């Protein structure tokens, strides 16, 4: 099946031979991906003219109602999406995060816009500023929609959520989108896109899809456009340095995979509920989506005197994981997205072995059982737990602070005191998410304040919130998703903050009556 592109209001199939994508479970060909023949300059022009004008003629509330209607429509098709998602290697439980989590983001943004924004076109930023003694000259910051398009370059691990979590704030802001899914799982994104188009809910030009290379699209972006990237830090940094992004000052947002950590507090006893919570989070993050989450825990930082207990507890829990075909209800972990991805993970484990040893699992594909599947055909891999032998962070060695195995892999580090734990956490050079497990408020404050500068989000977990906690790796539309340094230095989501990413902040100056007339019916 050759995937289609949606451009200039029409579905387009390239005549060129494309990249063949294989089913993650069976290894059989499932799709062919190619975008050659698209006019990327015209796609941007179409979005800026047709899409931009149609969306910005609508108010915030009207755009929000479009999202709500789209969410309802897609939810009715969800079983089609679940069936297709098996080809990406996920169990139904894992696919729920992607499919219904993505659709839920549409509902969340629709609700936030309807409840918190006025039915207008401009957002106020802060209070009016007095600029004169008599009050005849004042200032006010506002946000207005940019006049360009949003180019969304998405990762393979969340082919539905990745598209919809970017689309939602863009549409609320009145900015049309051009979606470029990752090739490996583009077949699921394309299926959802077919239904987005078939619904007829979004205005003409508000949505376009590129399955394959973006070609020279970035060459045609301007300062009124936005490029939002999710994926590896290496690829993101290359795109960020693109000459047109630099010379045109095109807005660039980057959410990159990072070496997220979880710190076990020194106060936590090995027979406590908090200890069990820590073990649960580590194992969940290793096995959910087969560890293919940008927020997954890659580095577990534990007190030296509890290292062996942590190893034993993780081994016990991982021993209950059932790997296999997602259609078998006994299976708790599916496959990686493809054989190429598994090869990358195995290569990363090999590099990690320079300073860490495997204490659970194996890279030998014959060493673990696959229920209703074949590890030599599908992209299956057992969870791998490693222990770093360089807790002092010798910079001459390649360690888990520098190398990410984007799969079911986690490395343990031991620390001697709180300062050491924080130093280890900071070695990640910027992370999307971190967790701190403790019931000691003073220790929590010390760890939180010491780690916050290096993280986009911190989960402070203990027994008191465990029953309602969404967990370390869950990204929520109300909270910021992003982080400093290696994580990209940008933000997504965070409620209505994300809407402002697609708007321009401008300081207005003038007499109060003039500004009041301009800003009537705004918030």
């Amino acid at each position: 099946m050759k995937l289609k592109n949606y451009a200039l209001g029409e579905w387009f199939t390239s005549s060129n031979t494309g990249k063949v994508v294989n089913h993650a479970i069976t290894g059989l060909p499932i799709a062919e991906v190619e975008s050659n023949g698209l006019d990327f300059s015209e796609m941007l022009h179409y979005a800026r003219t047709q899409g931009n004008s149609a969306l910005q003629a609508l108010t915030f509330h009207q755009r929000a109602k479009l999202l709500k209607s789209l969410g309802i429509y897609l939810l009715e098709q969800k079983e089609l999406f679940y069936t297709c998602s098996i080809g990406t290697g996920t169990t139904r439980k894992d696919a729920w995060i992607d499919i219904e989590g993505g659709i839920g983001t549409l509902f969340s943004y629709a609700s936030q816009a309807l409840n918190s924004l006025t039915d207008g076109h401009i957002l106020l930023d802060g209070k009016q500023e007095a600029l004169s003694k008599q009050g005849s000259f004042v200032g006010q910051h506002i946000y207005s929609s940019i006049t360009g398009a949003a180019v969304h370059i998405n990762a393979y691990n969340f082919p539905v959520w990745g598209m919809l979590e970017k689309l939602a704030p863009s549409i609320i802001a009145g900015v049309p989108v051009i979606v470029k899914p990752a090739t490996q799982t583009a077949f699921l994104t394309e299926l959802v896109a077919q239904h987005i188009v078939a619904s007829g809910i979004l205005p003409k030009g508000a949505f376009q899809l590129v399955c394959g290379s973006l070609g020279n699209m970035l060459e045609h972006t301007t300062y009124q456009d936005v490029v939002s990237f999710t994926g590896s830090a290496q690829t993101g940094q290359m795109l960020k340095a693109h000459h047109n992004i630099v010379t045109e000052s095109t807005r660039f947002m980057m959410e990159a995979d990072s070496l997220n950590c979880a710190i076990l507090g020194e106060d936590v006893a090995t027979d406590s509920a908090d200890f069990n919570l820590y073990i649960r989070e580590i194992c969940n993050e290793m096995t959910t989506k087969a560890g293919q989450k940008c927020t997954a825990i890659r580095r577990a930082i534990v007190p030296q005197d509890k290292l062996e207990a942590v190893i034993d507890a993780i081994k016990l829990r991982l021993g209950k994981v059932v790997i296999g075909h997602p259609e078998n209800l006994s299976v708790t972990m599916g496959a990686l997205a493809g054989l190429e991805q598994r090869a990358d993970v195995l290569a990363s484990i090999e590099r990690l072995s320079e300073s860490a040893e495997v204490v659970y699992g194996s890279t030998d594909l014959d060493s673990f059982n696959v229920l209703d599947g074949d590890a030599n055909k599908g992209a299956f891999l057992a969870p791998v737990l490693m222990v770093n032998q360089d807790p002092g962070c010798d910079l001459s060695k390649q360690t888990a602070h520098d190398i990410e195995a984007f799969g079911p892999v986690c490395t343990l580090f031991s620390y001697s005191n709180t300062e050491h734990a924080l130093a280890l956490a900071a070695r990640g050079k910027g992370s999307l998410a971190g967790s701190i497990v403790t019931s000691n408020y003073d220790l929590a404050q010390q760890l939180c304040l010491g780690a916050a500068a290096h993280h986009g989000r911190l989960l402070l977990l203990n027994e008191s919130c465990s029953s309602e906690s969404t967990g370390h790796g869950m990204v929520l539309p109300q909270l910021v998703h992003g982080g400093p340094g290696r994580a990209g230095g940008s933000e997504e989501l965070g409620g209505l903050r994300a809407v402002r990413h697609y708007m321009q902040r401008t300081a207005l100056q003038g007499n109060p009556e003039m500004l009041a007339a301009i800003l009537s019916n705004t918030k």
Side-chain angles (χ1 to χ4, degrees), residues 253-288:
M253 294 185 289
M254 174 177 165
E255 184 269 291
D257 307 330
S258 61
L259 293 162
N260 312 293
C261 71
I263 302 174
L264 180 66
E266 295 174 274
D267 64 302
V268 179
T270 56
D271 60 352
S272 68
D274 285 356
F275 182 84
N276 293 333
L277 286 174
Y278 185 81
I279 302 302
R280 184 191 72 183
E281 290 299 312
I282 299 297
C283 295
N284 283 353
E285 293 302 314
M286 290 180 70
T287 57
T288 300

Side-chain angles (χ1 to χ4, degrees), residues 51 91 104 124 150 177 195 233 253 279 290 293 295 301 327 331 436 474:
T91 64
L124 299 187
V177 304
H195 287 278
M253 294 185 289
I279 302 302
K293 291 168 59 185
T295 54
I301 300 172
E327 289 183 333
V331 168
I436 297 168
M474 183 66 73

Side-chain angles (χ1 to χ4, degrees), residues 4 31 41 59-60 90 95 105 112 119 121 156 179 200 212 242 245 253 273 278 291 295 305 387 424 504 521:
K4 296 180 179 179
S41 176
T59 64
F60 293 122
T90 58
T105 301
Q112 290 180 70
D119 197 17
H121 299 85
Y156 75 85
V179 177
H242 187 282
I245 299 292
M253 294 185 289
Y278 185 81
T295 54
D305 62 345
V387 176
L424 290 170
Q504 174 62 43
N521 197 29

Side-chain angles (χ1 to χ4, degrees), residues 229-237 253-260 293-295 404 406 430-433 481-490 492:
F229 168 81
T230 300
S232 72
Q234 183 179 10
T235 302
Q237 289 159 9
M253 294 185 289
M254 174 177 165
E255 184 269 291
D257 307 330
S258 61
L259 293 162
N260 312 293
K293 291 168 59 185
C294 56
T295 54
E404 180 181 26
F406 201 76
S431 300
L432 296 170
H481 179 47
R486 182 188 173 108
S490 303
E492 295 178 345

Side-chain angles (χ1 to χ4, degrees), residues 26-107:
T26 66
L28 298 174
I30 191 172
E32 186 180 337
V33 185
E34 180 57 57
S35 63
N36 186 270
L38 292 174
D39 189 324
F40 298 107
S41 176
E42 280 300 310
M43 289 181 70
L44 281 167
H45 178 71
Y46 181 70
R48 294 173 188 138
T49 53
Q50 296 289 324
N52 201 288
S53 60
L55 284 172
Q56 292 185 22
L58 305 174
T59 64
F60 293 122
H61 285 191
Q62 289 171 325
R63 298 169 203 159
K65 289 173 183 176
L66 292 181
L67 286 187
K68 182 177 180 180
S69 296
L70 183 60
I72 292 170
Y73 182 89
L74 293 179
L75 204 56
E76 292 171 350
Q77 322 302 321
K78 69 177 184 179
E79 291 305 322
L80 295 174
F81 307 151
Y82 275 116
T83 299
C84 183
S85 73
I86 292 174
T88 72
T90 58
T91 64
R92 186 180 178 95
K93 180 181 178 182
D94 289 347
W96 178 89
I97 303 171
D98 185 33
I99 295 168
E100 295 192 53
I103 296 171
T105 301
L106 299 182
F107 289 126

Side-chain angles (χ1 to χ4, degrees), residues 182-232:
T183 297
Q184 180 60 44
T185 54
F187 56 88
L188 178 53
T189 309
E190 190 238 32
L191 176 62
V192 179
Q194 287 181 23
H195 287 278
I196 290 175
V197 173
S199 74
I201 291 169
L202 297 180
K204 274 189 173 183
F207 176 85
Q208 297 181 83
L209 177 75
V210 178
C211 291
S213 170
L214 273 180
N216 65 352
M217 183 173 286
L218 296 189
E219 299 284 344
H220 302 288
T221 57
T222 75
Y223 73 98
Q224 284 293 303
D225 299 314
V226 177
V227 175
S228 180
F229 168 81
T230 300
S232 72

